[in-house]
Amino acid sequence: MPFGGSDRQPLLGHLRADTPHLHLSRHDLTKSDNAFARWPAQALATTWAVLKTNPVNLLLVFVPLGIIAANVGWSPTAVFVMNFLAIIPLAALLSFATEEISCKVGQTVGGLLNATFGNAVELIVSIVALKEGEIRIVQSSMLGSILSNTLLVLGCCFIAGGINKLEQRFDTTVASTMSSLMAVASASLIIPATLYAVMDRRPGGSSRDRDDNIMILSRGTSIILLILYVLYLIFQLKTHNKYFDGKPDEESQEGGEGQQQQQAQEADDEPQILTPWTAALWLVLVTVLVAVCAEYLVDSIDSIVASTGISKTFIGLILLPIVGNAAEHVTAVVVSYKSKMDLAIGVSIGSSMQIALLVTPFLVILGWIVGQPMTLHFETFETVVFFLSVLVVNYLIQDGKSNYLEGAMCIGIYTIIALAFYVYPEETPKPDTPFL
């Protein structure tokens, strides 16, 4: 038959061009009967779908770069910057996977899970720093995380929620419970600082006795705070869970029914990419990568302090919390924009409360176990800043309403605090603190 004929045969002879098994696309492979073809295709499709959810995932390129930089002997500044940037998208992925799980468990447990896994970054960084004896970094990171969540994240939530609405409403019972626990947490830092100041002025008292007494107070206080957090979980999830189920209270119900219906409709419309088991697998993998990057990040801090002159206090209190709180920040702002203010409050204030009542006391107990003198005695200036931030937030959320001006106030206060700690002088080296 001539090549120019109209009845040309397919190149493969009897196989027609529309034979189904020759046109298996990536989408078709995810439904293939062959498991060896289906599973990799499903994994690739899911990974691509997850990566497309947030533009910040473009920074994932710094994860391998940060690991390579630390192992081939690049400068400490390069190691710090690359691992700093690598943790940001990893924190966002933690947030995303937690949100996927939250779709199955509701807003109350979802907010708790988001705060917990959002704080996994700070916890991992702090454990690494505690192991290396960087007590100052640990304390600054804990306080910085609380300030970042209560002021920066909450302020951005109020602004995001005020873009489309003049005023957002949230449950006052939940907000007041959380703010009361934050006040208790601030008292737990004020008391050791005050006791230290009193004992420091006492004639005849040795520094060893003073430090031992502060250590005893810190460890006892930490145990009490951990008990209070367990009681709060029982209060939130079991005995008083009706206050945390996302329903408006009587005061905020007027004019709030439409907002609640809109939130429910939006929740139903949001597609779910990951199954709970797949999301759990993502949480494990991302947490491992965070631990690796955190190890390299902490190892480079001393060189950064020596080369740039930036104090450890500023790095621990401002820079590290911005990285660690990326998950809460992204989640809280997104849900605030969607008018889910109860969830936003649960993520921002709940995360701060978890740092104050769970993570910080846990690190004190962990320091006791591994032989590191971690205490609840923070510098006086830091303690006062913490107390004032809790006071400001309590005033702003007590009426159960928010607007963009209140958000601007929170961010303004946080910026002032950041400037103060930038010029805050690093303390002079002290002799090794004795511990029990």
Side-chain angles (χ1 to χ4, degrees), residues 1 88 151 203 211 215 246 292 298 311 316 323 332 378 398 410 413 430:
M1 180 177 292
I88 294 176
L151 295 175
D211 294 333
M215 191 68 70
V292 173
V298 172
S311 67
V323 176
F378 289 67
Q398 64 184 355
C410 289
I413 290 291
K430 297 178 182 179

Side-chain angles (χ1 to χ4, degrees), residues 183 186 385-398:
S186 67
V385 165
F386 178 34
F387 172 75
L388 291 177
S389 68
V390 171
L391 187 65
V392 169
V393 170
N394 283 354
Y395 276 122
L396 292 179
I397 67 176
Q398 64 184 355

Side-chain angles (χ1 to χ4, degrees), residues 39-340:
W39 291 345
Q42 289 176 343
L44 287 174
T46 301
T47 302
W48 177 244
V50 170
L51 295 180
K52 289 193 301 181
T53 58
N54 196 331
V56 79
N57 290 331
L58 292 172
L59 295 176
L60 284 171
V61 68
F62 288 102
V63 174
L65 286 177
I67 296 174
I68 292 172
N71 286 279
V72 299
W74 290 7
S75 69
T77 302
V79 173
F80 180 88
V81 171
M82 289 187 181
N83 285 283
F84 183 91
L85 294 174
I87 291 178
I88 294 176
L90 292 175
L93 286 176
L94 277 176
S95 171
F96 175 79
T98 308
E99 280 186 86
E100 293 293 286
I101 296 177
S102 302
C103 293
K104 296 293 186 184
V105 295
Q107 281 197 27
T108 301
V109 179
L112 179 63
L113 284 174
N114 202 294
T116 301
F117 282 100
N119 289 332
V121 177
E122 289 98 324
L123 181 60
I124 293 170
V125 172
S126 297
I127 289 176
V128 172
L130 184 64
K131 183 185 69 173
E132 308 256 335
E134 297 281 3
I135 307 297
R136 196 77 194 96
I137 290 290
V138 176
Q139 290 183 326
S140 299
S141 179
M142 291 298 97
L143 181 58
S145 297
I146 295 172
L147 295 176
S148 176
N149 279 299
T150 54
L151 295 175
L152 182 61
V153 176
L154 187 64
C156 290
C157 288
F158 286 170
I159 291 177
I163 291 176
N164 296 323
K165 292 189 171 141
L166 292 176
E167 193 176 73
Q168 293 272 18
R169 295 172 180 266
F170 48 87
D171 193 287
T172 53
T173 303
V174 175
S176 64
T177 300
M178 291 184 174
S179 60
S180 298
L181 286 169
M182 286 300 296
V184 171
S186 67
S188 70
L189 297 189
I190 292 173
I191 292 173
T194 307
L195 179 63
Y196 185 91
V198 170
M199 296 180 68
D200 198 35
R201 291 180 188 145
R202 225 158 139 199
S206 67
S207 61
R208 181 183 179 85
D209 291 339
R210 177 197 62 197
D211 294 333
D212 286 349
N213 289 333
I214 292 296
M215 191 68 70
I216 293 172
L217 174 63
S218 297
R219 290 167 179 170
T221 302
S222 297
I223 294 172
I224 294 171
L225 291 178
L226 290 172
I227 294 173
L228 285 176
Y229 186 74
V230 172
L231 291 176
Y232 167 71
L233 290 180
I234 297 173
F235 181 89
Q236 180 188 31
L237 301 176
K238 190 170 183 182
T239 61
H240 292 69
N241 58 350
K242 66 178 181 179
Y243 296 119
F244 295 84
D245 60 3
K247 295 179 181 178
D249 57 12
E250 293 182 2
E251 181 183 347
S252 63
Q253 194 160 2
E254 296 181 11
E257 263 180 44
Q259 178 175 316
Q260 294 292 325
Q261 292 174 356
Q262 179 184 355
Q263 293 177 14
Q265 181 65 33
E266 288 175 351
D268 293 337
D269 293 340
E270 291 176 358
Q272 188 172 1
I273 297 175
L274 302 176
T275 65
W277 285 107
T278 308
L281 179 61
W282 274 81
L283 288 175
V284 173
L285 294 176
V286 173
T287 301
V288 171
L289 288 176
V290 169
V292 173
C293 293
E295 179 84 30
Y296 296 137
L297 184 74
V298 172
D299 287 343
S300 64
I301 285 179
D302 283 335
S303 300
I304 290 292
V305 171
S307 61
T308 64
I310 299 176
S311 67
K312 286 186 180 181
T313 302
F314 184 79
I315 292 175
L317 210 140
I318 303 298
L319 296 183
L320 294 183
I322 289 177
V323 176
N325 291 331
E328 296 99 318
H329 206 148
V330 172
T331 301
V333 171
V334 169
V335 299
S336 299
Y337 184 76
K338 296 177 181 177
S339 300
K340 300 178 182 179

Side-chain angles (χ1 to χ4, degrees), residues 360-379:
T360 304
F362 168 77
L363 289 171
V364 172
I365 302 301
L366 181 62
W368 188 4
I369 294 172
V370 301
Q372 293 289 351
M374 173 71 183
T375 72
L376 293 178
H377 171 231
F378 289 67
E379 296 293 325

